[in-house]
Each structure stands twice: as C-alpha cells, then as structure tokens.
Amino acid sequence: MNLDDVRSDLSQILYTEAQIQARVEELAAQVDEDYAGRDPLLVGILNGAVMMMADLSRALTIHCEMDWMAISSYGSGIASSGVVRILKDMNVSVVDRHVLIVEDIVDTGLTLSYLIENLRSRNPASIEVCAGFRKPEAARNHVHVKYLGFDIPSDFVVGYGLDYAGRYRNLKGLGVLSPSVYS
Ligand code: IMP
C-alpha cells in the first residue's frame, strides 16, 4: 500500500519508503561492523517489527539468527494501557547470545524496559535495541536505543509495520494518522 492510497487518512507524511530504506541500510552497516564475527540473535517484536526485521536483516552482510516475541502493551486503541504481557515467547535460548531487539517504535519505552529486564534475566552475552522510530516520551524512561531510525513527534503514526486497529501495517511509508480516523 502506497502513501497515496490512504493520503486522506493522513494529516502528514513523515517518511517515504525510500527514506526509510536508506536509513535502515545505514543501521545495518553499523550492525555489520559492531557484530562482525558474533552472529547476533535478532529478536523481533511482533507484529510491528516485521517490516523493520525483514529490511534490516536482509541488509546485513553478516550471519544472524532471527526469533520473535509478541508482547501486548496497547489494545486496539491509540493510548498505552501501561500493561505489558508476553503473548508469545522466543523459541531459541538467549543464553550467551548477542541479542539485538528489533522494535518498530519506542513511545513511552514501557514495552522495551520490560522486555530488556526480562531478557537480561536469561543471561545473554549482550542486549542492544534497534528501533525504527522513537517518540519524545521515550527519553523520560531512559531506554537506550543503540540503533535508531528516526526521532519523530509524539503524534500517532501508522505505516511500516505500525497499525491503527489492525490496519495500515502494510503501508510503505510512515504518516501521522488524521484524528478524524479515530475520533
Ligand atoms: P511503548 O511501550 O509506549 O513504548 O509502546 C510501544 C508499542 O506501542 C509499539 O511497539 C507499538 O506497537 C505501539 N505504538 C506506540 N506508538 C505508536 C504509534 O504512533 N502508532 C502505532 N503503534 C504505536
């Protein structure tokens, strides 16, 4: 789905597919360098990180393994519920692995803080975070995102894996959802 297909649902276009792609390739180059010889375990957070994981992993020139977790922090609305639950855990062990969490967006940072703490207790060799987007609120919770795509405003955004009520994940770029869609 292209930005033009849902242009009237968006109050603003933040990034096109090409801009996101170019940034993800830069991030992959950093990951290549930092993890050379260490075969990182990329842990994608379903469902939002699917696009980021697909693009980041394919842009790498080093070997990596991929696994997935599903966590719920939002319902189907637009505000954080503050409740974090593991809906699906990983299939492989993280013990002594170099874990790179791949997340779509960091908003309050609540999901990531919980996840980092949870994975750290399983004795990985290291844990870092790669996220496509970060909202200003994240700074307050001091979540360190080593590989960040873009800092964005605190508006509710959709596209590149991010949904509103299950829709827009397949949108190629990133845009601000018009309040008229959810009010
Ligand atoms: P946090 O725990 O507040 O950082 O929220 C993280 C999760 O909330 C993300 O992984 C997304 O699934 C979802 N989320 C946060 N902001 C947005 C947004 O603007 N659009 C769509 N989903 C969002």
Side-chain angles (χ1 to χ4, degrees):
M1 175 184 273
N2 294 302
L3 289 162
D4 278 349
D5 297 324
V6 287
R7 189 63 190 89
S8 59
D9 291 353
L10 307 174
S11 57
Q12 198 188 341
I13 289 171
L14 292 180
Y15 297 103
T16 62
E17 181 187 20
Q19 288 172 317
I20 296 172
Q21 201 62 44
R23 183 69 189 122
V24 171
E25 279 168 25
E26 287 175 0
L27 296 179
Q30 285 178 36
V31 172
D32 270 346
E33 202 176 305
D34 295 350
Y35 288 88
R38 295 198 291 167
D39 290 18
L41 172 59
L42 308 185
V43 180
I45 310 307
L46 295 169
N47 296 319
V50 166
M51 309 300 169
M52 181 79 192
M53 179 73 129
D55 288 342
L56 181 82
S57 62
R58 286 179 300 169
L60 293 177
T61 62
I62 59 169
H63 288 294
C64 67
E65 201 175 336
M66 284 178 247
D67 203 350
W68 301 91
M69 284 180 85
I71 277 175
S72 95
S73 66
Y74 280 19
S76 58
I78 63 151
S80 178
S81 66
V83 179
V84 178
R85 273 190 309 145
I86 293 185
L87 304 177
K88 182 221 171 288
D89 209 333
M90 297 173 54
N91 295 329
V92 305
S93 163
V94 303
V95 175
D96 294 333
R97 297 299 305 270
H98 293 283
V99 173
L100 181 56
I101 298 173
V102 179
E103 177 64 301
D104 49 7
I105 190 168
V106 190
D107 180 2
T108 62
L110 226 144
T111 310
L112 265 184
S113 302
Y114 169 82
L115 200 64
I116 291 169
E117 202 176 306
N118 184 289
L119 291 181
R120 195 166 275 149
S121 71
R122 307 182 194 187
N123 299 318
S126 66
I127 302 188
E128 294 292 352
V129 175
C130 174
F133 310 97
R134 178 173 65 186
K135 292 188 186 179
E137 179 85 6
R140 252 181 266 171
N141 287 310
H142 307 290
V143 179
H144 178 63
V145 180
K146 185 161 185 184
Y147 307 96
L148 175 67
F150 302 95
D151 270 309
I152 62 168
S154 54
D155 307 296
F156 192 82
V157 294
V158 291
Y160 202 65
L162 291 161
D163 76 308
Y164 168 65
R167 293 172 128 190
Y168 306 98
R169 283 195 204 280
N170 58 329
L171 176 60
K172 286 176 183 168
L174 187 84
V176 176
L177 189 65
S178 171
S180 64
V181 177
Y182 53 81
S183 59

